[in-house]
Amino acid sequence: MASVTLMPPLLLLLLISAASAQSYSFFGGSVAFTPKGRDSNGAYEVELRDKQTSVTCYQDGYTCHYADCGSETQSSSTLITNNSYGLEWCQYETVTKVKVNSSLPFAVRYPATYNSTSGEGYWNGNDKQWGMSAHVDLGTRSDTGQSNRPPITSVLPLIRVPRNCPRSFNLTVFDPDGDQVRCRVPTDPSTRECTLCSLPTEFSLDQNSCSLTFTPVYNGKYHIELMVQDFPRNPITVTYSDGTYGSKQPPSVGRDKQTTAETTTAAETTTAAETTTAAETTTAETTAAETTTTASPPTTVPTSTESFQTAAALSQLPVQFSVVVDNDAPSCLDGDFVPIFLTPTPSSGVNLLAFVNTTLEIKVRTSAQYATINDLIVTGPSGISKQRISLEEFVIQWTPTQHELDDHFPICFVSEAKTSDDNSVFHSELRCVIVYVGHHEATVTCNQASITVEVKKDYLIKHNENNLHLNDLMDPSCDLAARSNTTHLVAVMSLNACGTTIEEDGDNIIFRNQITTADTNKTISRTNDVEIAFLCVYPKRANVTLGFTHKNPYTFSEKGFGAFTFQFEFFENQLFQNQIAASRYPVEVDLKQMMFMQIEANTSTPSLELFVESCRATPYDNPNSRISYTIIQNGCVKDDTVQIYSSSESQFNFGMEAFEFIGSYPEVYITCTVILCETGVPGTRCSQGCVPSNSRRKREAGGQTSKHSISQGPLYLLKTSASKASGSGLNLGLNIILIVGCILICGVVIYRSRRFRANASAIV
Ligand SMILES: *[C@@H]1O[C@H](CO)[C@@H](O)[C@H](O)[C@H]1NC(C)=O
Ligand SMILES: *[C@@H]1O[C@H](CO)[C@@H](O)[C@H](O)[C@H]1NC(C)=O
Ligand SMILES: *[C@@H]1O[C@H](CO)[C@@H](O)[C@H](O)[C@H]1NC(C)=O
Ligand SMILES: *[C@@H]1O[C@H](CO)[C@@H](O)[C@H](O)[C@H]1NC(C)=O
Ligand SMILES: *[C@@H]1O[C@H](CO)[C@@H](O)[C@H](O)[C@H]1NC(C)=O
Ligand SMILES: *[C@@H]1O[C@H](CO)[C@@H](O)[C@H](O)[C@H]1NC(C)=O
Ligand SMILES: *[C@@H]1O[C@H](CO)[C@@H](O)[C@H](O)[C@H]1NC(C)=O
Ligand SMILES: *[C@@H]1O[C@H](CO)[C@@H](O)[C@H](O)[C@H]1NC(C)=O
Ligand SMILES: CC(=O)N[C@H]1CO[C@H](CO)[C@@H](O)[C@@H]1O
């Protein structure tokens, strides 16, 4: 409770004024390092990445805490992220390159200066000094033959929680050497490993999973100090450049194996100091897993398992953040006010592969039923950026450079929603992914009618080869085995086949597909192992022959539902017998002419019903188009001319009059979001039907798929005037001749793997 600042209800005002009084104060920080090998003179190169979050972007320097911290050769700072609604702060990352003459462990400590008047070096919101230190061990491991690599983790600098909503913060931790990663609360002020040196009592930490649970009591700020450590899973020896060595035991190894060699290394002499006070570690944090650990401490110390772990850890890295407790939320259910993440947002802890000079794109979709998404707060390596592409969608982008090859980087994000009166702000759960910058070879070739993907088979692909497929599994011509050889996976598909989805915006047409191991058999519930997403972007100003107009069925697959398709068709009349032939696209309509549309689901699973949640008309074939006309919303008909015709459970037949909106644009598409539900399951979205957006909707139960977006078109309005849509760029309906030189070919590959995660969680 020491670090809690009580706050009256006028929270935002107070925080802002507190901020101006303490403009250099901190919300926390973190330190990461990467060994970068040795230079020609034999010096060890290390890259330190510290993140500091202060009110006015102030960044403090470090001092050498112990041993030889080497000399700095380069340093640069970059703004990573800033500001939550009504709260000003900013996080900078400073990348510092250091050369050290020996591989003996050393430690750096922040900040370099304190000034209580300006708040420099103090925690924001209380009068306590701020500080963090990192223990860097570059010793050569006997198992890898290389310098130890520290654990990878990150957290958002500031997370907000409504006072009445208990919350857990699950840190994503990953270790490139496969070590076990544990988190502890630093407790020893004498070693400068902490300044607060205890967890607020409202928090508890599970050291093995690095998850914090929090039951808020007061409005205000809580500050969290954690230390992340790596423990080899098997006994290894770590050798230093001066010939000394330490024997590192995994934490579960018994007491008698603790070697004396450890005390001879610099690492141990420094950690010994920490271990003497580790017995003070609060009992509240002791978990079941630890009490079963039979390890004993090194000679100097009392019987605390904590102290043993400190001694056996190779690296110690600080991770700190602040939690701001806001006023009560009317509901704590995720998705009501607290925003949730929706597909295709990557799951927490997933490993993504990125490539040098290739932009990694992470698409995030988020929503809250009774609040509006204000922002996505993203932290990651220098150079990371985000773009908002619609009300509820963001793309996080990062382009690694050659320098980042073979490193791992955490990217974390939180979605922020606020109520329309601006009085309440809500943060989602914390999500983090780990990006590995690989030298995986993949090429995507986009040409006028087809996409070719060639991916060199690495061990990961070879391991999963039998499960890999394109989005559409049903079409035999999309089988990956057809063109692949022993060294490469090769897929060639036409632009409208194999489950390729099409999006359009003002400038480009985008085709997306992926090679994935995603489940299709509903009986299997294993998580995805590999996703290699690729896309082709064609600028519209080029004259492209796309060779198609009418959309083939959309194929999806979801755990529990297997593979299913949706077909969206225009029909001649309300009998829904004759669909409008593909050759007649774009479909010409007269103003006020009735248009007849059918959406049909086809599944291998019996007793599923189709629900059409929304339909909109958009000038581009892009479900996120900002310009649109609403036809159906939340299952409720919004256009007066809409007629719904009876149909089977797997069909939705409807009609409406062609309207002026169509005439305002050269072409118009109809885009709908659809859901499949198991029939007879109460509480599904399908069983709820029309739910006006301002009324409170019952929580959706299981038994339903996620929302899928499908579209058909284009439509265009026949006009009497001759001025129709001239020079309006690409018209999918007319086979304009291709000018090859004008096509910008832009292939992007995103590669995901959870292999590392599966490894990491196999042994706890
Ligand atoms: C490291 O070694 C180089 C050359 O041997 C020497 O010039 C430099 O001062 C040393 N640096 C430190 C920090 O000891
Ligand atoms: C501390 O901060 C105040 C306010 O910014 C400044 O006037 C003062 O010079 C600082 N003190 C030192 C020792 O830098
Ligand atoms: C965090 O982990 C705990 C247990 O490990 C789990 O119960 C909880 O749902 C997780 N929370 C989030 C937000 O993932
Ligand atoms: C990445 O781009 C830089 C500069 O354009 C170039 O020097 C480098 O060779 C490229 N690296 C790779 C792996 O393509
Ligand atoms: C396999 O296919 C790739 C890509 O088409 C090609 O570069 C490679 O030479 C082929 N390898 C063999 C062994 O045929
Ligand atoms: C799905 O299951 C069937 C039999 O249960 C099997 O024959 C088929 O190969 C499986 N498909 C996939 C993609 O795993
Ligand atoms: C596209 O083709 C039309 C007619 O063939 C031509 O007039 C126009 O200049 C072309 N546009 C581009 C960008 O090449
Ligand atoms: C539904 O799918 C099955 C097999 O995938 C196919 O044989 C059938 O023709 C499809 N039905 C419709 C109405 O598309
Ligand atoms: C990098 C970053 O997130 N910058 C943001 C800082 O805050 C301003 C105003 O809130 C944003 O416009 C920037 O995008």
Side-chain angles (χ1 to χ4, degrees):
M1 236 194 353
S3 59
V4 176
T5 320
L6 293 182
M7 294 245 165
L10 285 169
L11 178 70
L12 296 183
L13 284 176
L14 191 83
L15 290 175
I16 289 164
S17 62
S20 55
Q22 280 199 308
S23 46
Y24 294 98
S25 60
F26 288 87
F27 290 95
S30 65
V31 182
F33 72 89
T34 316
K36 288 282 185 186
R38 302 176 74 167
D39 71 6
S40 51
N41 298 323
Y44 291 82
E45 295 184 294
V46 194
E47 188 174 87
L48 295 171
R49 284 177 184 255
D50 72 78
K51 285 193 177 133
Q52 297 178 37
T53 305
S54 64
V55 178
T56 47
C57 305
Y58 179 74
Q59 304 299 298
D60 214 322
Y62 68 88
T63 53
C64 190
H65 185 28
Y66 53 72
D68 176 7
C69 300
S71 53
E72 222 177 280
T73 58
Q74 216 180 319
S75 181
S76 62
S77 293
T78 315
L79 173 65
I80 304 294
T81 181
N82 63 13
N83 302 350
S84 158
Y85 187 79
L87 288 179
E88 280 181 37
W89 50 269
C90 76
Q91 182 186 56
Y92 263 78
E93 180 176 69
T94 303
V95 181
T96 308
K97 290 177 191 168
V98 170
K99 282 191 183 186
V100 207
N101 286 349
S102 94
S103 69
L104 285 168
F106 65 89
V108 293
R109 173 157 60 81
Y110 300 77
T113 35
Y114 287 104
N115 181 339
S116 59
T117 314
S118 65
E120 179 179 354
Y122 284 77
W123 282 100
N124 178 266
N126 66 23
D127 54 2
K128 306 229 175 225
Q129 288 193 341
W130 167 76
M132 55 180 186
S133 75
H135 176 85
V136 178
D137 188 332
L138 300 173
T140 304
R141 297 167 63 107
S142 56
D143 57 350
T144 62
Q146 296 187 330
S147 283
N148 179 58
R149 287 176 291 175
I152 311 290
T153 190
S154 187
V155 68
L156 258 292
L158 187 143
I159 304 176
R160 302 172 73 159
V161 179
R163 195 185 55 178
N164 57 331
C165 302
R167 185 70 77 93
S168 57
F169 306 100
N170 295 352
L171 262 59
T172 291
V173 290
F174 171 80
D175 191 275
D177 294 323
D179 292 345
Q180 181 174 348
V181 180
R182 301 178 124 207
C183 299
R184 68 181 177 95
V185 178
T187 53
D188 186 0
S190 71
T191 63
R192 314 286 287 260
E193 65 169 356
C194 53
T195 57
L196 306 173
C197 301
S198 71
L199 208 54
T201 50
E202 293 84 356
F203 285 81
S204 69
L205 171 70
D206 180 310
Q207 303 199 0
N208 288 315
S209 66
C210 292
S211 88
L212 277 166
T213 50
F214 176 40
T215 311
V217 174
Y218 303 106
N219 287 33
K221 273 179 225 151
Y222 293 77
H223 302 304
I224 307 297
E225 292 176 319
L226 295 176
M227 201 64 106
V228 181
Q229 303 169 288
D230 50 347
F231 299 89
R233 287 177 196 274
N234 300 305
I236 59 161
T237 308
V238 180
T239 317
Y240 299 99
S241 53
D242 66 352
T244 58
Y245 66 96
S247 171
K248 302 291 175 181
Q249 303 290 320
S252 55
V253 170
R255 60 182 64 213
D256 296 324
K257 294 194 180 159
Q258 191 69 38
T259 66
T260 51
E262 275 187 332
T263 50
T264 65
T265 69
E268 292 344 326
T269 50
T270 55
T271 51
E274 284 159 34
T275 59
T276 54
T277 52
E280 294 166 20
T281 309
T282 60
T283 49
E285 294 144 28
T286 309
T287 64
E290 274 140 40
T291 51
T292 59
T293 306
T294 55
S296 94
T299 48
T300 44
V301 236
T303 55
S304 161
T305 55
E306 176 79 5
S307 58
F308 171 79
Q309 290 153 19
T310 305
L314 285 159
S315 325
Q316 298 203 54
L317 298 177
V319 181
Q320 307 173 336
F321 64 107
S322 294
V323 177
V324 172
V325 177
D326 293 322
N327 290 336
D328 289 2
S331 152
C332 290
L333 274 179
D334 284 341
D336 278 359
F337 293 91
V338 174
I340 47 169
F341 291 116
L342 305 167
T343 49
T345 313
S347 321
S348 209
V350 77
N351 279 271
L352 309 182
L353 202 84
F355 304 98
V356 172
N357 291 354
T358 307
T359 302
L360 171 77
E361 288 203 344
I362 302 172
K363 202 163 176 180
V364 174
R365 201 155 66 90
T366 173
S367 78
Q369 179 126 24
Y370 308 112
T372 325
I373 302 299
N374 182 53
D375 200 1
L376 184 76
I377 306 174
V378 183
T379 186
S382 298
I384 195 158
S385 66
K386 63 151 193 261
Q387 270 190 324
R388 188 171 196 154
I389 54 175
S390 73
L391 231 47
E392 305 198 329
E393 281 180 302
F394 297 84
V395 177
I396 300 170
Q397 292 175 322
W398 182 54
T399 311
T401 64
Q402 190 71 35
H403 180 71
E404 282 133 355
L405 182 64
D406 217 21
D407 278 358
H408 293 83
F409 298 92
I411 293 177
C412 295
F413 48 92
V414 153
S415 158
E416 177 172 273
K418 66 181 177 71
T419 50
S420 49
D421 59 10
D422 287 355
N423 279 340
S424 309
V425 180
F426 307 97
H427 279 183
S428 68
E429 60 161 304
L430 168 73
R431 270 217 190 167
C432 301
V433 298
I434 307 286
V435 177
Y436 171 68
V437 181
H439 28 55
H440 200 84
E441 285 172 35
T443 58
V444 181
T445 313
C446 308
N447 65 30
Q448 67 208 70
S450 68
I451 307 175
T452 303
V453 186
E454 294 161 314
V455 187
K456 193 165 175 210
K457 288 181 186 173
D458 65 1
Y459 60 98
L460 205 56
I461 290 179
K462 285 183 177 151
H463 183 71
N464 286 288
E465 201 167 348
N466 295 334
N467 297 322
L468 288 170
H469 54 79
L470 292 163
N471 268 345
D472 184 352
L473 319 125
M474 299 198 191
D475 184 343
S477 72
C478 303
D479 189 355
L480 284 173
R483 291 170 195 259
S484 299
N485 59 31
T486 51
T487 58
H488 287 74
L489 273 183
V490 182
V492 181
M493 71 214 78
S494 62
L495 292 175
N496 61 338
C498 301
T500 303
T501 61
I502 304 146
E503 282 169 28
E504 193 181 352
D505 61 23
D507 302 321
N508 300 302
I509 303 176
I510 302 144
F511 297 82
R512 294 179 194 269
N513 205 326
Q514 60 182 351
I515 296 173
T516 173
T517 50
D519 292 334
T520 52
N521 275 0
K522 61 178 208 155
T523 47
I524 304 172
S525 63
R526 102 191 125 69
T527 51
N528 300 359
D529 291 312
V530 178
E531 272 173 39
I532 306 168
F534 52 87
L535 56 86
C536 285
V537 179
Y538 297 88
K540 286 182 175 176
R541 59 191 154 68
N543 281 333
V544 186
T545 302
L546 291 166
F548 75 96
T549 50
H550 168 262
K551 300 273 184 75
N552 284 328
Y554 286 80
T555 303
F556 299 97
S557 68
E558 262 184 55
K559 210 180 295 172
F561 292 88
F564 47 90
T565 63
F566 295 108
Q567 178 117 27
F568 190 168
E569 293 292 347
F570 290 97
F571 278 76
E572 304 280 3
N573 56 44
Q574 71 266 45
L575 298 178
F576 291 95
Q577 283 164 341
N578 304 318
Q579 68 185 53
I580 292 181
S583 58
R584 281 180 46 199
Y585 281 68
V587 180
E588 297 178 352
V589 290
D590 290 313
L591 190 63
K592 296 202 184 292
Q593 178 196 328
M594 204 64 180
M595 307 181 291
F596 301 96
M597 292 162 271
Q598 178 181 78
I599 296 172
E600 182 177 31
N602 188 3
T603 72
S604 50
T605 317
S607 58
L608 288 184
E609 61 182 302
L610 169 72
F611 181 68
V612 177
E613 208 232 7
S614 72
C615 288
R616 305 188 310 151
T618 56
Y620 305 117
D621 190 7
N622 181 342
N624 304 317
S625 172
R626 280 170 196 266
I627 306 163
S628 69
Y629 176 84
T630 303
I631 301 165
I632 295 171
Q633 190 175 37
N634 297 315
C636 312
V637 169
K638 292 289 178 188
D639 178 280
D640 292 343
T641 69
V642 169
Q643 298 280 329
I644 295 177
Y645 304 96
S646 68
S647 55
S648 74
E649 296 243 290
S650 63
Q651 285 178 339
F652 182 72
N653 292 342
F654 67 113
M656 73 178 290
E657 283 180 9
F659 51 113
E660 291 285 4
F661 179 80
I662 300 179
S664 313
Y665 300 92
E667 293 170 343
V668 163
Y669 292 80
I670 309 290
T671 295
C672 298
T673 57
V674 290
I675 298 170
L676 286 178
C677 307
E678 287 171 30
T679 41
V681 174
T684 62
R685 183 68 192 91
C686 306
S687 67
Q688 292 170 23
C690 164
V691 183
S693 54
N694 56 1
S695 82
R696 196 161 253 261
R697 154 144 63 93
K698 278 222 306 273
R699 195 104 298 269
E700 286 160 19
Q704 62 188 40
T705 65
S706 51
K707 289 181 198 176
H708 294 283
S709 192
I710 64 175
S711 72
Q712 191 57 283
L715 298 166
Y716 79 88
L717 202 59
L718 285 172
K719 287 184 184 170
T720 42
S721 105
S723 65
K724 181 184 110 14
S726 63
S728 62
L730 179 72
N731 182 331
L732 294 175
L734 309 175
N735 283 346
I736 298 169
I737 290 143
L738 171 77
I739 296 173
V740 182
C742 292
I743 291 192
L744 168 69
I745 290 166
C746 166
V748 177
V749 175
I750 304 160
Y751 186 116
R752 291 184 183 172
S753 149
R754 295 191 191 176
R755 183 186 69 97
F756 299 115
R757 190 197 189 195
N759 264 356
S761 59
I763 314 163
V764 177

